[in-house]
Structures are given as structure tokens and as C-alpha cells.
Amino acid sequence: NYPSEVPMVKELGLSKKLYDVDEVIRKFHDNGIYVIGRIVCFKDNNLAKKRPDLAVKKADKTTLWKDNSGFLWLNPYNEEVWKFNIDIAREAVEKGFDEIQFDYVRFPTPGLKVQLYYGENVPERKSEAINGFLAMAQEEIYEGMGVKVSADIYAIVCESIFDGELIGQELELVGKDIDYISPMIYPSHYSNKAQNGKGQIINGVLFEAPDLKPYEVVYHTLIKAKNRLSSVEGYRAKMRPYLQAFTANWLRDGYWQTYGKGQVRQQIRAVYDAGYEEWILWDPNNRYPESWFLKEGEVEAAEYEGPENKEDEAAVNEGE
């Protein structure tokens, strides 16, 4: 989103100027703000259109596959695709970004009955591609340039081994080389009873309407992840979850609520109660009211302590 000097980006005309990157980073740094550069990796409609040889194909090996939103995807097995994203990351580091965060660092999910073509003689285990890319990025960006590398992952992979294998984000492997993983723990994104007739089990607890239980969903997801990772030796990545700061009013009535200060503070409290110290909020409209946050040195009022028994689904404060 700023004029790039990366050769492939320039050659194919893949950059556009949405802001003055040098001025923006200078202002951030002048105000003591840590700047994370987020790079969308394998869901890349623009490069796939320009270089269809790098794109995911249908089973006929020639037709480009599109997801339900009409987007093309790059082939996560292709090392030229890896290099393209790492070159963009390296340029971002040179611009002054303090950390590189890779998003959509996964395989697409076309449905279990749809077969996609990724080339001949590719590894059956998709995590080999995802971990190979992240290891290469870590070597070039952290070891080579001294800047941390992080990756966004689906929150469901903290609960489901099957889902992790399906998209190449196996929890016990995806963070072994990089500095941070950020599971996107949005309560609205878990299955609810209206969608599948049951809801979602997280850490042994059934949630029929996960969006109504922000504290519990975040807490149980992180506890499940912590328990799984506790037996993994040498796991490098720290946990820094994404939390929901938007309202999922597209869900069926009775299965969503307005997310404001109360719901956001509940999720933040769940992160701390699960034993972690960092988090990021996500709102696609970039609205983050100052009133949601504690000022430095301010102590949170004891408005919400969480259920006495975190193993059940006790009623929780609905927030403001």
C-alpha cells in the first residue's frame, strides 16, 4: 500500500500509494509506538492474476480456483511465492517497521469434497509448506535483520487438530521458529447452535452461542492452547491473541450481542487470567474508543471477575 522497490512488485505494478510510509512511521516512532507491519501472504488476488503459474488450480491442473468471495490464492508450496512475500517484508523492515506479521499464512479451505492442485510431488503434510516459509522468513528477517516475525493463525486450530492439519497451521509446529503467534479468538467466528445444531466445544465446554460468552471463549481457547504447547520442547513463539472489537450482527438473532467496552474488557481479562500478557484488538472499521482502555498506572475496577468456576458456563456480565 505504498510505492515499492521490490522487483516483482514494480514489474507487475502491484503497489499503490495509500499513505506516506516514511512519514507515518516517523510519527509513530516519535510517539513511542511499536509498529507491526501486517502482510497478507497466500490470499493474493493481484499477484495470482498477473502470475497464474503461481496460483492454486482446480483438479484439472489448469483452471484457476477461486474462493467463495471470488479471490484467487497463491500456492503455499511454491518457494517463489515465499520469496515474494519475504522480499516485501525485508523492504518493510528497511522502512522502519518494528515487526513483521504474516496473515493468511495458510492453505485455503475449499470444502472437503473439492480437490485442489498444488503441483506434482508436493508433501502431503501442508504444515511442511507453512513452516518452511516461516522458517525462511525468520532466518532472513529476524536473524538477518534483527526484527521479530509473527503469524496470525485460526483460533480453531488451538482446539482442533484436524483443522490445523487441513490448513497447514498445526499448533505444535507453527510457532516453533518464529517469535509470536496470534490466534484470532473472535467468539463470533466459532460455530453456534443455529449454524450446526450443536455449537462449539472448546476445552471440553460446549458453547451454544459463543458470541455471548466473550470471557469464557477466550479463556478456554488459551488454556487449551497452553495445555497442548506445554509438552512441546523448544517452542519459540509467544502467544499474542487477536480479540474481537466488532459486532457480529450478521449472526442469527439471539446468537450475537453488541461488542463495546464490557465485552472487550472481558476478553482482555481472560487473556491475563489464562496467564498471557499481550493481545491485539481487531475491528475492520478501525474504531477503538479510548474509553475501552486503561491508562498507564490505572487499576481496573472489579466490575467483572469471570465465573467462579471457569469449567462451567456461568452467566457473565453482558457489559455496557
Side-chain angles (χ1 to χ4, degrees):
N1 291 324
Y2 55 80
S4 172
E5 295 300 318
V6 172
M8 189 184 294
V9 175
K10 287 192 69 175
E11 175 189 345
L12 300 179
L14 296 174
S15 68
K16 54 187 175 181
K17 184 175 181 179
L18 294 187
Y19 62 98
D20 185 328
V21 62
D22 301 309
E23 177 67 8
V24 168
I25 290 179
R26 183 190 65 78
K27 286 183 177 180
F28 278 139
H29 286 167
D30 286 350
N31 287 276
I33 294 173
Y34 182 80
V35 189
I36 301 176
R38 173 175 163 267
I39 298 175
V40 173
C41 294
F42 303 128
K43 185 179 181 178
D44 190 335
N45 204 49
N46 295 323
L47 179 56
K49 285 181 178 179
K50 300 278 189 176
R51 288 284 307 274
D53 58 306
L54 301 178
V56 175
K57 310 293 194 307
K58 292 183 178 180
D60 63 13
K61 303 182 182 181
T62 57
T63 306
L64 299 185
W65 174 82
K66 295 181 179 180
D67 64 19
N68 290 335
S69 300
F71 279 86
L72 301 172
W73 283 65
L74 301 175
N75 186 347
Y77 285 114
N78 192 302
E79 294 195 15
E80 188 174 357
V81 172
W82 298 5
K83 187 178 185 303
F84 172 77
N85 282 281
I86 292 172
D87 285 347
I88 293 173
R90 289 177 59 87
E91 181 180 62
V93 171
E94 292 169 354
K95 290 288 186 183
F97 285 90
D98 301 300
E99 178 178 323
I100 297 299
Q101 181 187 85
F102 292 113
D103 198 5
Y104 285 90
V105 57
R106 64 174 178 86
F107 281 76
T109 52
L112 295 179
K113 295 182 179 180
V114 178
Q115 296 296 319
L116 299 181
Y117 177 71
Y118 295 104
E120 302 296 333
N121 302 316
V122 297
E124 182 176 349
R125 197 169 184 176
K126 294 176 179 177
S127 60
E128 291 188 34
I130 301 305
N131 295 335
F133 166 69
L134 292 175
M136 179 184 289
Q138 183 74 1
E139 180 179 0
E140 293 205 27
I141 298 167
Y142 180 76
E143 296 176 15
M145 305 180 79
V147 166
K148 291 182 178 179
V149 175
S150 56
D152 301 338
I153 64 174
Y154 269 4
I156 193 63
V157 308
C158 299
E159 173 67 30
S160 168
I161 293 175
F162 171 79
D163 285 285
E165 293 175 344
L166 188 67
I167 62 174
Q169 292 180 347
E170 297 185 46
L171 181 65
E172 287 82 358
L173 299 174
V174 71
K176 67 184 182 65
D177 296 308
I178 58 178
D179 299 288
Y180 281 96
I181 54 173
S182 290
M184 298 172 283
I185 313 178
Y186 308 142
S188 62
H189 283 33
Y190 285 91
S191 297
N192 61 55
K193 189 174 181 179
Q195 294 168 325
N196 65 4
K198 181 179 68 173
Q200 177 68 54
I201 295 176
I202 307 173
N203 196 32
V205 178
L206 176 62
F207 293 92
E208 295 184 350
D211 195 61
L212 305 185
K213 303 286 187 178
Y215 176 93
E216 288 86 348
V217 168
V218 173
Y219 178 83
H220 281 289
T221 298
L222 290 174
I223 290 299
K224 181 64 176 283
K226 176 180 280 188
N227 289 339
R228 286 178 60 181
L229 293 177
S230 64
S231 61
V232 181
E233 293 186 9
Y235 201 79
R236 179 185 178 94
K238 294 181 180 179
M239 184 75 71
R240 186 206 282 146
Y242 267 101
L243 305 178
Q244 179 173 329
F246 56 87
T247 296
N249 55 7
W250 59 84
L251 296 177
R252 185 177 297 182
D253 287 349
Y255 290 90
W256 66 275
Q257 62 176 319
T258 299
Y259 268 58
K261 177 181 177 180
Q263 290 73 18
V264 169
R265 295 301 312 171
Q266 288 175 32
Q267 294 174 88
I268 293 171
R269 173 53 52 195
V271 174
Y272 298 149
D273 287 352
Y276 295 105
E277 299 178 345
E278 300 185 46
W279 42 268
I280 310 175
L281 298 187
W282 176 257
D283 174 12
N285 295 310
N286 288 313
R287 289 193 292 260
Y288 305 102
E290 187 176 349
S291 63
W292 290 4
F293 304 94
L294 298 180
K295 293 181 171 60
E296 187 173 3
E298 185 179 358
V299 178
E300 184 173 18
E303 295 178 355
Y304 180 75
E305 299 294 340
E308 291 184 9
N309 178 5
K310 296 185 177 68
E311 295 303 318
D312 65 21
E313 280 202 88
V316 300
N317 183 340
E318 298 255 326
E320 292 187 335

